[in-house]
Amino acid sequence: MNELEALILGLIQGLTEYLPVSSSGHLTIGQEVLGVSGSDNLIFDVVVHVATVLSTLVILWKEIVWIFKGLFKFRWNDETRYTVNILVSMIPVGIVGVFFKDYVEEIFGSGLFIVAYFLMVTALLLTFSYYAKPRQKEKISLRDAFIIGIAQAAAVMPGLSRSGSTIATGLILGNKKEKLAQFSFLMVIPPILGEALLDVMKAMKHGAEAVTGGMSISALAVGFIAAFISGCFACKWMISIVKKGKLIYFAIYCAIISVVALIFSLS
């Protein structure tokens, strides 16, 4: 992978990690178009995912400081309750990531046909959340946090958007738009870092070359910077979009990209 390819894929990762259009699906499409094998560039995938986590920390730093201040008061309060909700939401994805990730990837793979299928599922989920009008809840409950966590775990499927699944599920459950996007982005930080760590540990069993894939430091740096900057933009933009309830446009986009990916998979 050269610097230009790293730039393009880094931008794709940063934008699509937060926008409800599936980062894994778009990365697969981008790699197919560029002729770059993702399996040979594991360290690149890890680097751009870490970059998007850092962009979350930058954009939502006030919320993160609020959480930690509350935790260090060492009593049950809104901040502690929020943290418990995040921990509960991590249970399903933790189980899938540790015990079933390789099994799911082996069955479904990451080919364009599977990506097209789950992109259409993402489109349908976003559409349903747009037209559903449940009663707005003041706070995300423990039960809702767990159900949203199940939606996040299901997003291991290539083409099924992580942010789209969690935000749409939260909206269907009746949670307020104002806080839902922030919760959705904060709850994915530990799973993304955990997944990156597991990938690196798995690759290290096969030697350093299996981890780096022979990539240059400059290409990794370009990909990291591109993912970080585009991630900051997308994270802030997505919070605004959720508040305005404009997810239907992403549903239309996912449906179109799904058809395009299906055509390419059959050609």
Side-chain angles (χ1 to χ4, degrees):
M1 184 186 300
N2 58 39
E3 285 77 6
L4 178 59
E5 292 166 341
L7 173 64
I8 294 172
L9 293 177
L11 290 173
I12 291 174
Q13 167 62 29
L15 289 172
T16 58
E17 183 64 45
Y18 299 104
L19 301 182
V21 295
S22 176
S23 61
S24 62
H26 278 71
L27 275 178
T28 299
I29 294 171
Q31 289 167 353
E32 289 282 345
V33 172
L34 294 174
V36 178
S37 174
S39 61
D40 292 336
N41 301 287
L42 176 61
I43 189 61
F44 178 81
D45 293 339
V46 172
V47 165
V48 294
H49 275 87
V50 171
T52 53
V53 167
L54 291 178
S55 66
T56 306
L57 300 179
V58 169
I59 299 300
L60 298 179
W61 70 271
K62 290 183 179 179
E63 288 75 14
I64 295 170
V65 170
W66 170 76
I67 290 173
F68 277 99
K69 281 185 177 180
L71 288 177
F72 283 108
K73 292 178 181 177
F74 300 105
R75 64 172 182 265
W76 185 258
N77 50 32
D78 287 341
E79 296 92 327
T80 308
R81 182 177 180 276
Y82 198 91
T83 303
V84 170
N85 279 349
I86 290 178
L87 293 174
V88 167
S89 74
M90 289 166 50
I91 294 173
V93 74
I95 294 172
V96 172
V98 173
F99 297 106
F100 300 108
K101 184 175 183 291
D102 291 340
Y103 179 71
V104 171
E105 289 178 349
E106 182 181 346
I107 293 177
F108 292 96
S110 58
L112 283 183
F113 179 81
I114 295 298
V115 169
Y117 176 83
F118 282 109
L119 275 170
M120 187 59 71
V121 173
T122 299
L124 293 174
L125 186 59
L126 291 172
T127 301
F128 187 75
S129 70
Y130 178 79
Y131 287 105
K133 302 295 180 182
R135 181 176 61 85
Q136 294 286 296
K137 303 175 185 177
E138 290 298 323
K139 294 181 179 179
I140 298 174
S141 67
L142 207 61
R143 179 187 71 95
D144 286 0
F146 184 74
I147 296 174
I148 294 171
I150 294 175
Q152 178 177 234
V156 69
M157 305 298 185
L160 188 57
S161 169
R162 191 193 320 244
S163 62
S165 299
T166 54
I167 291 172
T169 300
L171 291 174
I172 292 170
L173 292 171
N175 293 286
K176 282 196 171 182
K177 302 172 183 176
E178 288 75 9
K179 298 295 182 180
L180 188 54
Q182 293 177 359
F183 179 78
S184 173
F185 295 155
L186 289 173
M187 68 182 277
V188 305
I189 292 177
I192 288 177
L193 292 178
E195 182 179 6
L197 179 61
L198 287 174
D199 285 340
V200 171
M201 291 175 62
K202 182 170 65 175
M204 286 180 67
K205 295 179 181 179
H206 303 285
E209 184 66 21
V211 179
T212 63
M215 286 194 63
S216 66
I217 298 298
S218 60
L220 289 174
V222 168
F224 179 90
I225 294 171
F228 174 76
I229 294 175
S230 59
C232 288
F233 170 78
C235 183
K236 194 169 185 177
W237 186 34
M238 187 59 191
I239 292 173
S240 174
I241 290 171
V242 173
K243 288 180 180 178
K244 295 176 182 177
K246 302 295 185 181
L247 295 180
I248 189 63
Y249 299 113
F250 291 100
I252 296 171
Y253 171 82
C254 285
I256 294 172
I257 296 299
S258 172
V259 173
V260 173
L262 179 61
I263 293 172
F264 271 100
S265 70
L266 298 176
S267 62

